């Protein structure tokens, strides 16, 4: 049913000091911790933040250990949109920034994502293995348009 790692982190999350939860149904929990709330689907690693006004964020997805270390222990300092699916608006901004000769790092800052996330998205956009090899951390400060023209 659950992998050992998933089960381990689910137990860590649900037993974390100061965290309380309500099981809504077989798959969904409502978590409360330090005035923060989330809808949480441990089987799929999906979660949504709930604001104090009851507004639900977009869907995020990731490993349970990332959720645990980011929100409960504070050991991970991930970008605001880490794990968030890319919207059409995000893609439009990405394409506009490529046209304006922005770098991976600049695009990541604007979209509140990690440069690696932007690099992975660019590989999908250009569908080019050569570009994938060029998008190393050393290349995060080179305008993306130059990388494409460089081929």
């Amino acid at each position: 049913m659950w992998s050992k790692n998933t089960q381990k982190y689910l137990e860590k999350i649900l037993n974390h000091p100061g965290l309380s939860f309500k099981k809504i149904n077989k798959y969904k929990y409502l978590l409360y911790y330090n005035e923060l709330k989330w809808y949480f689907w441990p089987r799929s690693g999906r979660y949504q933040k709930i604001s104090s006004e009851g507004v639900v964020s977009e869907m995020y997805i990731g490993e349970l250990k990332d959720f645990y270390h980011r929100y409960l222990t504070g050991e991970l300092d991930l970008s605001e949109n880490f794990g968030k699916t890319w919207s059409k608006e995000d893609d439009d901004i990405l394409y506009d920034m490529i046209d304006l000769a922005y770098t991976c790092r600049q695009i990541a800052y604007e979209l509140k994502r990690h440069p690696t996330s932007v690099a992975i998205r660019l590989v999908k956009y250009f569908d080019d293995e050569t570009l994938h090899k060029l998008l190393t951390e050393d290349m995060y400060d080179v305008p993306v348009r130059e990388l494409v023209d460089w081929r």
Side-chain angles (χ1 to χ4, degrees):
M1 178 172 156
W2 301 83
S3 74
K4 284 185 180 184
N5 199 37
T6 300
Q7 184 65 37
K8 172 184 151 185
Y9 276 99
L10 177 59
E11 289 173 11
K12 280 185 161 194
I13 290 167
L14 298 181
N15 294 313
H16 190 77
L19 183 130
S20 59
F21 68 91
K22 177 182 176 185
K23 192 168 185 176
I24 296 174
N25 62 36
K26 184 177 176 181
Y27 303 106
K28 185 178 180 181
Y29 291 78
L30 180 58
L31 304 180
Y32 304 91
Y33 182 69
N34 287 345
E35 299 180 20
L36 299 172
K37 293 190 281 186
W38 300 273
Y39 285 123
F40 184 64
W41 294 264
R43 188 176 301 251
S44 64
R46 294 180 303 146
Y47 62 94
Q48 292 179 302
K49 293 181 196 175
I50 305 169
S51 74
S52 57
E53 296 84 33
V55 177
V56 177
S57 74
E58 293 187 47
M59 187 69 68
Y60 292 79
I61 189 163
E63 298 289 326
L64 295 187
K65 69 178 182 167
D66 293 338
F67 179 89
Y68 176 77
H69 290 294
R70 180 180 190 179
Y71 294 109
L72 304 184
T73 68
E75 294 172 359
L76 283 179
D77 183 24
L78 300 171
S79 58
E80 182 180 325
N81 290 329
F82 176 81
K84 182 178 168 185
T85 55
W86 286 72
S87 68
K88 179 167 176 11
E89 182 180 339
D90 291 336
D91 281 335
D92 291 344
I93 292 169
L94 173 73
Y95 305 147
D96 289 344
M97 293 182 86
I98 292 169
D99 288 340
L100 297 170
Y102 279 72
T103 66
C104 250
R105 198 174 309 279
Q106 291 169 322
I107 294 169
Y109 178 80
E110 180 69 26
L111 294 174
K112 298 178 182 166
R113 294 184 179 273
H114 192 277
T116 302
S117 176
V118 173
I120 291 168
R121 192 65 174 188
L122 289 168
V123 169
K124 289 179 182 179
Y125 173 66
F126 291 109
D127 194 28
D128 187 337
E129 286 302 312
T130 307
L131 182 62
H132 180 66
K133 292 174 187 171
L134 296 174
L135 286 175
T136 62
E137 193 167 336
D138 296 336
M139 303 305 276
Y140 287 166
D141 294 313
V142 176
V144 173
R145 195 167 62 190
E146 288 182 25
L147 294 173
V148 176
D149 294 339
W150 194 27
R151 293 187 280 142

